[in-house]
Each structure stands twice: as structure tokens, then as C-alpha cells.
Amino acid sequence: MPSVTRVVLAEDEVLLREGLVGVLTRFGFAVDAAVGSAPELLDAVRTHRPDLLVTDIRMPPQHRDDGLRAAVTLRAERPDLAVVVLSQHVQSGYAAALLDSGDGNRVGYLLKDRVADVAEFAETLRRVAAGGTAVDPDVVRHLLRRPRDPLAALSRREREVLGLVAEGHSNTAIASRLHVTEAAVGKHVGNILAKLGLPPDEDTNRRVLAVLAYLRAES
């Protein structure tokens, strides 16, 4: 029988917090603690040592990026801690800070609107807890549309593939979405990495991190 993923949840809005607890429980997660502030978040993770932390970015006491900063602190202490942060708006800088934490794997950045599709949300949490990376599609689009686009050398199809890679999809999943062969996707990925001056790598998470690191360096 597969082990249950243990979660600490941090969200200051009581109704949303209780709703998320219900969703997590319904989909087979074990919620060790559900808290409403960054200090409580730090204490809960250090006490319970969960597999996964799900936290809002803006948390008390300062109601700024307290949740994110707590998550980054915890990732420095435990690089193997899986973290998914939830945000009300697209903030690519927050995504970059999270991706820079720990070993760069087991991280996710999602907009709160995505929680409406609870099955997809649960699947994303499982993917991150298993070692994957998930970046919200709106964040990816924001990165790809910035001025002085470092991806100008990429074709339209390569940009499309890159966006799906950054969201955490495998070559097989991308091929299915685009109705092309997996070999064609592999060729596109190879071309993307070559045009960006990045070494080919079969690990999807490292490809995502390499591409986002390149985008941050060029901003």
C-alpha cells in the first residue's frame, strides 16, 4: 500500500484554509497541521516534519511575502521538503525565489484560481511531492512575454513546447497535447536547449530550472 503524503497547510483566510483541508483529506493526503501565520507555519513544519508544505505567499504578521520567506527558510533547513506556494496574482519574482531554494526540485507555484479544479490541484501536489516541479501556466506566459525576450530565436512551436516543459509536463504528455510524436517533442526540446546555450538533460525538472534560470539572468 503506498504511503500517505503528510502535509502542513498555511493559509490565513479561515474559510479557504478549511476548504483546502477538506480537499486534501478527500484526495488521500494527511493534514498534520493547518495554520494561519508564518510563525505558526515555521513551528508546524519543524514539529511535524511533513512531506509537503502548501502555503499562501502573503501571510501574517506582515501580510507581505511572509509565507514565501518562511518556505524558503524551511527549504534551506530541509532541501528535501516539497513546497507548493499559492498566489493571488502572477509574481514571477516569487517563482524565481522558490525555484532558487533547496536543491531546486519538489517545488510548485500556483495561482489560487487553479485550486478550483480540485482533481488537477491534487495531482499537481502529488507530482511535486514525488520530486517534480510545477509552475502555473500564467506565470510561464508572463515570463515568455517579457520585453527583451531572450527566447527570440525560438520558433512559435518551440515556444509552445517550452511553455509546456516549464509547467512540468513530460515529453510524452506534451506529444499528446500537441498531437505530435514523442520523438518530435524530443527534437524540439533539444533545439530549445541548444538555442539557449543550455546542455541537453533528460530530467524534466532540471530543464525547467535551467530555462527559468536563463530567463532570470536575462531580465
Side-chain angles (χ1 to χ4, degrees), residues 52-128:
L52 171 66
L53 165 64
V54 179
T55 180
D56 191 2
I57 285 179
R58 295 182 181 274
M59 295 279 290
Q62 297 182 12
H63 295 280
R64 295 178 181 175
D65 59 351
D66 301 56
L68 175 70
R69 287 189 287 108
V72 171
T73 295
L74 291 166
R75 290 268 294 177
E77 296 174 2
R78 280 187 56 197
D80 64 331
L81 174 65
V83 173
V84 173
V85 299
L86 306 176
S87 179
Q88 194 69 46
H89 307 289
V90 174
Q91 293 283 352
S92 56
Y94 289 156
L98 184 64
L99 289 164
D100 280 337
S101 68
D103 62 1
N105 294 317
R106 294 175 293 280
V107 294
Y109 180 104
L110 301 177
L111 296 183
K112 286 186 175 181
D113 290 347
R114 304 294 172 187
V115 181
D117 187 337
V118 293
E120 180 180 345
F121 176 62
E123 180 56 34
T124 297
L125 296 185
R126 289 196 180 94
R127 186 165 75 244
V128 172

Side-chain angles (χ1 to χ4, degrees), residues 28-193:
F29 295 89
V31 180
D32 288 341
V35 300
S37 72
E40 290 176 310
L41 157 60
L42 290 167
D43 289 343
V45 171
R46 287 165 177 162
T47 298
H48 296 284
R49 297 189 64 80
D51 306 303
L52 171 66
L53 165 64
V54 179
T55 180
D56 191 2
I57 285 179
R58 295 182 181 274
M59 295 279 290
Q62 297 182 12
H63 295 280
R64 295 178 181 175
D65 59 351
D66 301 56
L68 175 70
R69 287 189 287 108
V72 171
T73 295
L74 291 166
R75 290 268 294 177
E77 296 174 2
R78 280 187 56 197
D80 64 331
L81 174 65
V83 173
V84 173
V85 299
L86 306 176
S87 179
Q88 194 69 46
H89 307 289
V90 174
Q91 293 283 352
S92 56
Y94 289 156
L98 184 64
L99 289 164
D100 280 337
S101 68
D103 62 1
N105 294 317
R106 294 175 293 280
V107 294
Y109 180 104
L110 301 177
L111 296 183
K112 286 186 175 181
D113 290 347
R114 304 294 172 187
V115 181
D117 187 337
V118 293
E120 180 180 345
F121 176 62
E123 180 56 34
T124 297
L125 296 185
R126 289 196 180 94
R127 186 165 75 244
V128 172
T133 301
V135 181
D136 193 279
D138 284 349
V139 178
V140 173
R141 282 192 287 272
H142 177 74
L143 289 169
L144 296 181
R145 289 173 180 170
R146 290 185 306 181
R148 295 171 55 243
D149 189 355
L151 308 180
L154 302 186
S155 68
R156 182 189 62 80
R157 176 63 90 180
E158 287 166 349
R159 282 172 172 264
E160 191 173 12
V161 170
L162 176 59
L164 292 171
V165 168
E167 290 172 27
H169 296 290
S170 66
N171 283 7
T172 301
I174 294 171
S176 176
R177 284 186 172 225
L178 300 182
H179 306 292
V180 298
T181 66
E182 189 171 347
V185 173
K187 184 176 180 180
H188 285 311
V189 170
N191 289 340
I192 291 166
L193 294 174

Side-chain angles (χ1 to χ4, degrees), residues 190-213:
N191 289 340
I192 291 166
L193 294 174
K195 289 180 179 180
L196 297 181
L198 302 170
D201 192 324
E202 289 303 315
D203 184 86
T204 300
N205 303 322
R206 294 191 185 280
R207 291 184 300 174
V208 172
L209 295 173
V211 170
L212 291 179

